[in-house]
Amino acid sequence: MIRIANYINGQYQAPLTNSYIPNYNPSDGAIYGDIPDSDASDVQAAYKAAETAFPEWSTSTLEERSKIMLRIAELLDENLQKFAEAESKDNGKPVSLAKVVDIPRAASNFRFFGNAITQFSSESHESTGLNAVNFTLRQPIGVVGCISPWNLPLYLFTWKIAPAIAAGNCVVAKPSEVTPMTAYLLGEICTQAGLPEGVLNIVHGLGGSTGQAITEHPKIKAISFTGGTATGAHIARIAAPMFKKLSLELGGKNPNIIFADCDYDDMLQTTVRSSFANQGQICLCGSRIFVEASIYEKFKTDFVEKVNALKVGHPSKEDTNIGALVSKSHLEKVKSYIDIAKSENGKVLAGGEEVTVDGFENGYYLAPTVIEVSSDECRVNQEEIFGPVVTIMPFTSEDEVLQMANKVKYGLSATLWTNNLKRTMRMSQSLQAGIVWVNTWMMRDLRTPFGGVKESGVGREGGFEALRFFTEPKNVCIKY
Ligand code: TXE
């Protein structure tokens, strides 16, 4: 049993509540540790540490901040295996995936923002004829709150923390209670890298108590949140009357639009990945696949064959493509959508069933599932399932598919497969999404703005957008 602790003021500390919640291993369904069930008193202790650290950290040189952040990145790289195994055990994802995606990306987040802060600049405006010059000071906000989800635990946790501290803020952060382990391990790395006490404080606990206390804290002036849309709306309701800065990265129901003129093999291979990577538990997964009618039957056959060849297995096995879903309750939710699909005349072409993995019979495994739907308006095509379930249906014209693609409440990302340049431009302009990938999926350049429209969120993370979010612009006008 592993008992984890909060990381406050550079020290690991038991929660003031002295209360704990169990932590499950999704690959076998067993409890393997427990985590602090922190409340507002723990959040207050974290806030105090952050407040105390702020004057010094916010006036430290960019070189000092950058050096520490690059060291954190290096230490994450050096501890790749340990972190990847911890992530896999907590989340159910294949260790092989955590080793090439989650942990390297967490290191990149620190490396990227450690460098970006040295290049961050602000505008100046000479007011000619008025003998005045205006410039913008970009000052850190103070103490900020970062709340992250369970699907890409350390990856998304550090995607918020790194720009926040690079910009000179001090942080009270909460990882998901479902996947707290790598955030816990990060504390030790930060201490080793020389991050001053109190700059980053990590409080573990449930959303409704710990997360709520961060959101409600009157002196935590900004909240960066990634998670479900309903939770995002709840946080927005609390934060709005307190005039907090808010960055919300929420759910998605992303279209994957395939035209007959695409590079077929590349499309097919990438579509398997964009459908089922991380057990389909990525907000960017292309869960609605629209295929041009002329290649629909061929695609259907080839896709189903490839999906059936994916190996569902224990996350520690090298040949596992699909690991376990994150929790029992999430597995039940995803399965319920398969039943909904059937009741709406959806045809299950692949998967649709739980999988029993030998020796791990209580794990949360589900076969990658492909559902052919007859209408884009059915629930499985409209609601976020967030698991290894995709729908497919044909389309006949660009206008038709554009309408269907946009006819959901979400607008995070869209993928387009075509070699027609004019169509690429037309569609990119008209798709209601924060990110459009053309002939690729989830190719990330950390300088680009990242986020969604409609109910997929508010604000953008990434690059200078994140540094802008975590700073307050102040106009200084000097008359000379
Ligand atoms: O997320 P929650 P859940 C979607 C996906 C999933 C659904 C619900 O559809 O099925 O959301 O997942 C914290 N105040 N995504 O329930 O609850 C919580 O502790 C403050 C999309 O796991 O939104 C955790 O740290 N914080 C998504 C974080 O919010 C609160 C990734 C996210 O949890 C809180 C994950 C509160 N009142 C799920 N309640 C994406 N966009 O990538 C909860 N939290």
Side-chain angles (χ1 to χ4, degrees):
M1 292 283 279
I2 307 171
R3 167 160 287 184
I4 69 172
N6 291 331
Y7 177 74
I8 296 177
N9 207 25
Q11 314 290 327
Y12 282 119
Q13 300 182 6
L16 295 168
T17 56
N18 209 21
S19 155
Y20 289 85
I21 38 187
N23 191 14
Y24 290 83
N25 178 344
S27 74
D28 59 14
I31 294 173
Y32 80 101
D34 57 16
I35 80 160
D37 182 10
S38 309
D39 71 3
S41 61
D42 297 291
V43 169
Q44 179 59 13
Y47 170 76
K48 276 281 159 208
E51 185 193 36
T52 308
F54 181 69
E56 208 166 312
W57 182 249
S58 59
T59 53
S60 59
T61 66
L62 298 184
E63 197 184 345
E64 278 168 334
R65 279 183 226 162
S66 176
K67 200 170 142 200
I68 293 169
M69 293 183 66
L70 298 184
R71 183 68 190 132
I72 296 174
E74 245 172 41
L75 287 167
L76 282 171
D77 286 340
E78 285 168 22
N79 288 281
L80 174 70
Q81 187 67 28
K82 172 175 153 186
F83 271 78
E85 282 171 12
E87 201 72 296
S88 166
K89 194 166 181 179
D90 237 9
N91 172 278
K93 68 178 71 207
V95 178
S96 57
L97 183 75
K99 266 170 87 171
V100 296
V101 176
D102 296 75
I103 310 307
R105 173 57 191 277
S108 294
N109 290 339
F110 280 106
R111 192 169 288 119
F112 174 82
F113 284 107
N115 287 320
I117 195 62
T118 67
Q119 306 298 313
F120 190 45
S121 60
S122 60
E123 327 79 79
S124 73
H125 309 271
E126 174 143 32
S127 306
T128 48
L130 298 174
N131 284 354
V133 65
N134 285 272
F135 63 92
T136 309
L137 277 181
R138 283 252 161 214
Q139 296 176 302
I141 300 172
V143 179
V144 300
C146 298
I147 301 175
S148 60
W150 46 257
N151 59 331
L152 299 165
L154 193 66
Y155 173 134
L156 291 175
F157 192 61
T158 55
W159 181 231
K160 300 179 178 307
I161 289 165
I165 64 175
N169 301 284
C170 293
V171 176
V172 177
K174 189 193 96 62
S176 169
E177 61 274 29
V178 187
T179 53
M181 192 52 80
T182 47
Y184 165 69
L185 297 173
L186 179 68
E188 197 180 323
I189 296 265
C190 290
T191 302
Q192 262 182 48
L195 188 71
E197 290 171 358
V199 173
L200 171 63
N201 304 278
I202 304 170
V203 191
H204 297 274
L206 300 170
S209 48
T210 316
Q212 183 88 8
I214 294 174
T215 312
E216 283 175 346
H217 197 289
K219 294 202 167 150
I220 295 182
K221 295 180 191 153
I223 303 286
S224 175
F225 169 82
T226 298
T229 292
T231 315
H234 175 80
I235 288 176
R237 276 193 292 274
I238 296 169
M242 299 171 90
F243 306 106
K244 294 189 186 209
K245 261 187 132 175
L246 263 191
S247 167
L248 302 175
E249 204 272 280
L250 310 173
K253 187 74 185 174
N254 312 304
N256 179 8
I257 303 168
I258 299 166
F259 284 93
D261 70 352
C262 69
D263 291 338
Y264 188 84
D265 293 343
D266 192 11
M267 174 279 295
L268 189 63
Q269 210 173 337
T270 308
T271 294
V272 174
R273 214 163 47 82
S274 67
S275 303
F276 300 113
N278 206 40
Q279 296 70 246
Q281 300 167 140
I282 305 181
C283 52
L284 304 165
C285 279
S287 52
R288 292 183 293 147
I289 305 177
F290 297 105
V291 187
E292 194 164 10
S294 60
I295 58 164
Y296 183 72
E297 288 305 323
K298 175 174 167 52
F299 172 81
K300 197 162 101 176
T301 309
D302 295 346
F303 184 57
V304 167
E305 189 187 310
K306 280 215 178 296
V307 172
N308 283 332
L310 291 172
K311 181 151 189 325
V312 179
H314 192 268
S316 66
K317 295 257 165 63
E318 269 303 313
D319 62 348
T320 291
N321 303 116
I322 310 275
L325 268 66
V326 74
S327 66
K328 178 89 180 145
S329 60
H330 191 56
L331 172 70
E332 294 306 328
K333 175 190 150 180
V334 176
K335 272 172 32 189
S336 76
Y337 273 101
I338 298 172
D339 293 335
I340 291 169
K342 287 178 188 159
S343 73
E344 290 180 319
N345 298 321
K347 200 166 143 198
V348 177
L349 303 177
E353 303 285 341
E354 268 187 75
V355 176
T356 306
V357 173
D358 280 349
F360 306 98
E361 286 75 11
N362 294 324
Y364 318 136
Y365 300 94
L366 186 70
T369 299
V370 181
I371 300 170
E372 184 175 49
V373 292
S374 50
S375 156
D376 68 296
E377 290 183 351
C378 60
R379 280 185 65 192
V380 277
N381 228 45
Q382 290 289 321
E383 297 175 21
E384 187 182 41
I385 302 175
F386 214 67
V389 178
V390 292
T391 62
I392 65 170
M393 66 176 288
F395 68 87
T396 48
S397 75
E398 190 179 310
D399 278 351
E400 181 199 11
V401 75
L402 187 61
Q403 274 199 29
M404 294 195 292
N406 287 341
K407 214 194 303 162
V408 290
K409 63 182 184 179
Y410 298 106
L412 190 53
S413 70
T415 303
L416 190 59
W417 290 94
T418 180
N419 278 313
N420 180 326
L421 182 59
K422 289 180 185 163
R423 174 190 287 145
T424 297
M425 279 314 295
R426 277 195 304 268
M427 296 280 289
S428 301
Q429 283 164 342
S430 306
L431 281 163
Q432 294 167 356
I435 303 150
V436 178
W437 277 297
V438 183
N439 299 332
T440 183
W441 176 72
M442 216 174 150
M443 182 177 274
R444 298 282 293 119
D445 179 326
L446 302 190
R447 293 170 299 182
T448 57
F450 179 86
V453 298
K454 303 201 284 190
E455 293 192 24
S456 289
V458 177
R460 293 292 181 274
E461 301 187 276
F464 289 168
E465 297 287 342
L467 295 176
R468 286 189 197 103
F469 174 76
F470 283 115
T471 51
E472 200 66 76
K474 180 188 285 173
N475 172 230
V476 180
C477 175
I478 303 177
K479 174 101 166 80
Y480 56 85

